[in-house]
Amino acid sequence: MKKRTITALALSVSLLLTGCSTSDSKSHAETINLLNVSYDPTRELYDDVNQVFSKKWKEETGQTVKIQQSHGGSGKQGRAVIDGLPADVVTLALAYDIDEVANNRELLNKDWENEFADHSSPYTSTIVFLVRKGNPKQIKDWDDLTKQGISVITPNPKTSGGARWNYLAAWGYASKKYARDETKIKQFMKDLYGNVQVLDSGARGSTTTFTERGIGDVLISWENEAYLSLDELGKDQYEIVTPSMSILAEPPVAVVDKNAKHKGTEKVAKAYLQFLYTKQGQEIAANNYYRPRDTELLKKYANKFPNIPMITIRDFGNWQKAQKQHFSDGGTFDQIYSTK
């Protein structure tokens, strides 16, 4: 996979030393620098978005805007912003991680989800399986991941947003199968995570473990990441298995208001995220295998995105409740994984 990860520390030092902050009110000839702190699998998406948006902004305002990216596990990225990484915008894997930024240092408004449409989630995804060509272990649904002799790769839900979506998708499947019997659900999850061979810190790391290191029979993956693997590594090596049900993953975006105001980048930061909702931005998302919110484009790409039954985070109450029950210290993940 493309190795474009920029460490938070390197970015912090670089940004501070170069004095990248430039007010929107300054001369059009000056360069405006934005820092987008994002989660693992969005490197390719924002490479494309940044190129098109920068050109559009230059044509419309005469200003040059340069956008730097930072990627990693969503939880770790949110923590880096809390610890001082001067993000202008965050584009993370789930709302809880942005809530943490809002709650810990009040870097943005607590009602940030209302700033943009669709709970500030301009695109969606879901969770699928990536298997080796020919599907030698005949993995077809979540049940197969609990069988003896199956090696599963998924990231660590303590650090990765994608991993939390993976976990909740599996929990939702088991909840339906066992009619919400929590004892049976926990045993199902214990069996599944008992088969997990490697818990990487982020989704891209898990993809690397599965594809480049050759470990595991199945990768539980973001849909967009699975398709990217086919494009980059070849359909002759891997194939995608869509389970009988999954979860609607809604990665949100937000302007980090306090940072953007301090750096004078509020106007361009908001325009940058608003661009994701335009036809052009939605087309870029679809071409990077994210499901667009735009209904016309979603129909256009219907063959790319199979229509499967999906639960949502609302089935767990909200992210605050899901985090407390499943991923906090002593939560259900710790209960089923620590005793495997």
Side-chain angles (χ1 to χ4, degrees):
M1 307 298 291
K2 299 177 180 176
K3 299 188 173 15
R4 301 175 180 168
T5 304
I6 307 173
T7 66
L9 178 60
L11 270 169
S12 298
V13 173
S14 174
L15 291 168
L16 290 170
L17 290 178
T18 56
C20 69
S21 302
T22 306
S23 173
D24 290 335
S25 63
K26 290 185 179 181
S27 168
H28 283 183
E30 293 194 54
T31 297
I32 299 174
N33 292 272
L34 290 185
L35 172 58
N36 176 6
V37 174
S38 195
Y39 66 105
D40 258 339
T42 60
R43 293 170 173 84
E44 293 77 16
L45 168 65
Y46 283 108
D47 278 347
D48 292 345
V49 167
N50 295 350
Q51 182 177 354
V52 176
F53 175 78
S54 296
K55 181 179 179 182
K56 179 180 173 66
W57 188 260
K58 180 74 171 180
E59 291 172 349
E60 293 179 352
T61 69
Q63 292 177 322
T64 297
V65 58
K66 292 184 178 180
I67 303 151
Q68 293 176 294
Q69 298 171 226
S70 172
H71 297 274
S74 186
K76 291 178 67 176
Q77 291 294 85
R79 173 53 56 183
V81 175
I82 292 169
D83 290 342
L85 183 62
D88 298 275
V89 300
V90 284
T91 56
L92 298 179
L94 42 88
Y96 179 82
D97 292 328
I98 299 182
D99 282 339
E100 285 294 280
V101 177
N103 292 334
N104 277 276
R105 286 187 56 207
E106 298 182 346
L107 292 172
L108 63 156
N109 297 326
K110 292 186 178 181
D111 64 346
W112 61 268
E113 282 189 271
N114 296 320
E115 185 169 358
F116 300 100
D118 299 309
H119 309 290
S120 290
S121 298
Y123 43 79
T124 69
S125 189
T126 192
I127 303 304
V128 299
F129 307 149
L130 188 68
V131 298
R132 305 192 187 282
K133 187 65 178 178
N135 195 3
K137 295 295 182 74
Q138 291 301 296
I139 295 166
K140 298 178 180 178
D141 212 342
W142 292 100
D143 280 325
D144 297 316
L145 275 56
T146 67
K147 294 178 179 178
Q148 290 186 354
I150 299 297
S151 175
V152 178
I153 302 299
T154 183
N156 188 341
K158 292 287 191 175
T159 55
S160 166
R164 279 172 272 180
W165 288 117
N166 294 354
Y167 177 101
L168 293 180
W171 184 281
Y173 173 86
S175 180
K176 181 180 179 181
K177 178 177 180 177
Y178 296 114
R180 299 181 181 275
D181 184 325
E182 188 160 318
T183 299
K184 292 181 178 179
I185 297 170
K186 284 184 176 180
Q187 186 59 53
F188 178 92
M189 299 298 288
K190 184 176 180 179
D191 291 342
L192 192 160
Y193 278 88
N195 284 340
V196 173
Q197 192 168 353
V198 180
L199 275 181
D200 289 289
S201 63
R204 183 55 59 88
S206 285
T207 302
T208 298
T209 293
F210 183 73
T211 59
E212 296 185 12
R213 297 174 63 194
I215 298 174
D217 301 309
V218 55
L219 170 69
I220 309 177
S221 172
W222 290 97
E223 181 179 55
N224 58 284
E225 185 81 343
Y227 276 110
L228 185 63
S229 296
L230 294 188
D231 282 353
E232 293 197 346
L233 301 171
K235 296 179 181 179
D236 60 331
Q237 296 190 52
Y238 305 97
E239 56 189 73
I240 295 172
V241 173
T242 302
S244 63
M245 67 174 289
S246 192
I247 192 166
L248 179 67
E250 300 175 282
V253 302
V255 176
V256 186
D257 299 306
K258 185 175 288 187
N259 289 346
K261 184 175 182 179
H262 175 72
K263 295 161 67 175
T265 58
E266 291 172 289
K267 181 178 179 181
V268 66
K270 187 171 183 178
Y272 176 63
L273 296 185
Q274 192 64 57
F275 172 75
L276 299 171
Y277 289 88
T278 66
K279 286 285 186 182
Q280 198 172 18
Q282 292 281 285
E283 189 92 36
I284 293 171
N287 286 328
N288 281 274
Y289 303 109
Y290 290 86
R291 296 180 179 227
R293 290 289 196 178
D294 186 282
T295 54
E296 290 182 5
L297 284 177
L298 194 56
K299 290 179 181 178
K300 175 181 175 181
Y301 290 96
N303 292 335
K304 183 181 291 187
F305 303 118
N307 185 17
I308 59 175
M310 295 185 197
I311 59 173
T312 74
I313 190 60
R314 265 70 67 183
D315 291 294
F316 297 88
N318 55 38
W319 265 114
Q320 296 295 326
K321 292 180 180 179
Q323 179 73 25
K324 182 177 180 180
Q325 178 183 351
H326 295 283
F327 309 117
S328 62
D329 290 344
T332 55
F333 174 74
D334 284 348
Q335 295 167 28
I336 62 100
Y337 189 71
S338 62
T339 58
K340 72 172 188 173

